[in-house]
Amino acid sequence: MSLNMEKSFINWMDSCLPKDITQIGVGVSGGADSLCLVHLLKKYCDNHHIKLYAFTVDHDLRKESAHEAKSVHSMLTKWGLNHQTLKWCGLKPKTGIEENARQARYDLMYQACQKKKIKHLFLAHHIKDQAETFWIRLSHGSGVDGLGAMDEISFMRDIVLMRPLLGQNKEEILNYLKAKKIQWFEDKMNQDLAFERVRWRERQKTLNDWGITPEKIYVLTRRIQDVRQTLSFYAQAFVKAHVFISPLGYAFIQHLAWDMIPQAIQIHVLQQLIPLLCGDDKPIPLEGLENLIQDKRQSKTFAGCQFVHNKRGLYICAEYRLPLPTKTIKTGRWGLFDIIAPQKTKIQPLTKESYFKNIPSLIQKGFPSICGNIHYSIDISCFCGIYVSGMPVLTKKELEKKAVLDYKKGNKTIYIHFNPRKN
């Protein structure tokens, strides 16, 4: 059994891991799943000259957690691994501990990867974890995106999350460890019915008797992921063909184009545009998106964005509940814009007397107003739709370099760079 697992693991790694990788990270709790994964990774990395870093998060929620983290450190260092314990410090929330602990775990590992410039982080989720995630999301009313559960390969900001054991059965993992004579820790919280995931783990035993096994749920999630990818593909194609992104920080879609696509595609389009325009990557409630699309009012706000319909089409921008302040800036931040000027320059919201005729006034509340020669650009993170011909699409570093070169030539241009991801 262990040989079969090793073979399938090697095949997965060879097909999914980029060939030029020199270092990777792995989360190790000390449980059976993560120790199985790190053991498989160690052998693979040794054979392919890849440096492996292991991270253990001590949530400090149990008396035994610090001792277990030390034991994991001792074990992995004996294996010749670079191991680091990351502690969740500070006061712990009294409610929502499961979700908060999960978020803290990801945040701590992300920060550790950033420090070591690791771009691929491995996680030990397996087929039963996938089934539990499916049931949790189903009970919370998730749509296609949520019911696809976890992907084998996904993203956490600029880091790739890899789950090579996602299709692996828990029993196979335990048999592998027994064959290798590797001891693992049992987390008592995995039996605590106060946690939603544990309750679904118990319910799964009854579902197995009805033939609704984790293996069948895994197949279902893969099929749902195919549907999700299809929706995402057509949504991206729509954005590229029909969504105008302005360097003034708004998006525009003609009514004819918007009304011709199904609601499922509209939802995926908005899921792409909302974080891009307001700079907030928080999950967007599906029910809220459905209500937004069905709401026929001319103007509404949702998820940090302002939505306005007029005769020309749909306009979307960041919501400004209060007027943006007037500032004197040479190099700095104003609203969702990076400003670079040759000297201290006054910047303020566009006055109503200067509003453009065809754009709704609510959309123009966040437009910057500066006297002088202005160079507009848009951050490369917004590169998804239609742009004004010749409008530069840059990173902030490229913008700064361009401004410095121009100033050396005596150019007095003020650079206004729409960069919502900064917030």
Side-chain angles (χ1 to χ4, degrees), residues 181-397:
K181 297 182 180 179
I182 298 171
Q183 286 293 117
W184 65 90
F185 291 100
E186 292 289 354
D187 187 343
K188 292 179 181 179
M189 294 178 75
N190 288 335
Q191 282 79 47
D192 190 343
L193 292 173
F195 299 112
E196 184 177 15
R197 185 170 290 274
V198 178
R199 293 196 296 273
W200 277 112
R201 194 169 300 155
E202 290 300 308
R203 290 168 187 150
Q204 184 64 57
K205 296 173 183 178
T206 302
L207 292 168
N208 290 340
D209 295 336
W210 296 347
I212 308 174
T213 63
E215 288 74 18
K216 289 183 178 177
I217 296 300
Y218 177 74
V219 172
L220 175 60
T221 59
R222 293 295 293 266
R223 290 170 178 165
I224 294 173
Q225 287 170 15
D226 287 341
V227 174
R228 182 176 65 193
Q229 289 172 8
T230 302
L231 292 172
S232 182
F233 172 83
Y234 284 107
Q236 288 175 17
F238 179 87
V239 170
K240 288 179 181 178
H242 298 288
V243 179
F244 168 71
I245 310 292
S246 170
L248 287 167
Y250 70 90
F252 170 73
I253 311 169
Q254 288 185 328
H255 279 310
L256 182 62
W258 183 245
D259 293 340
M260 68 182 281
I261 59 174
Q263 179 172 300
I265 303 295
Q266 290 177 334
I267 286 171
H268 275 73
V269 169
L270 293 177
Q271 286 173 333
Q272 290 184 37
L273 293 180
I274 289 172
L276 184 152
L277 292 166
C278 70
D280 192 339
D281 288 322
K282 290 180 181 177
I284 305 169
L286 176 60
E287 186 178 358
L289 285 168
E290 291 169 341
N291 292 338
L292 174 73
I293 291 168
Q294 293 162 12
D295 189 342
K296 301 304 180 184
R297 287 179 298 165
Q298 183 181 3
S299 174
K300 52 246 182 183
T301 58
F302 174 72
C305 280
Q306 181 78 50
F307 298 80
V308 181
H309 290 270
N310 72 2
K311 291 180 180 180
R312 298 182 68 221
L314 171 63
Y315 291 82
I316 312 170
C317 72
E319 178 189 3
Y320 294 100
R321 296 185 180 181
L322 297 172
L324 287 166
T326 299
K327 281 188 177 182
T328 300
I329 296 175
K330 183 176 181 182
T331 298
R333 188 85 174 153
W334 187 85
L336 298 177
F337 300 89
D338 291 318
I339 310 294
I340 302 177
Q343 58 192 15
K344 288 188 176 181
T345 304
K346 183 180 178 182
I347 179 169
Q348 61 187 19
L350 197 67
T351 59
K352 291 185 178 180
E353 294 77 19
S354 303
Y355 277 3
F356 299 92
K357 289 183 179 179
N358 295 323
I359 303 175
S361 58
L362 284 171
I363 300 299
Q364 300 188 58
K365 289 175 70 175
F367 286 9
S369 175
I370 299 179
C371 294
N373 183 24
I374 299 173
H375 175 100
Y376 288 103
S377 63
I378 196 163
D379 195 80
I380 201 163
S381 66
C382 302
F383 191 76
C384 66
I386 305 168
Y387 301 95
V388 176
S389 178
M391 184 181 75
V393 178
L394 307 166
T395 65
K396 187 181 177 184
K397 285 185 178 179

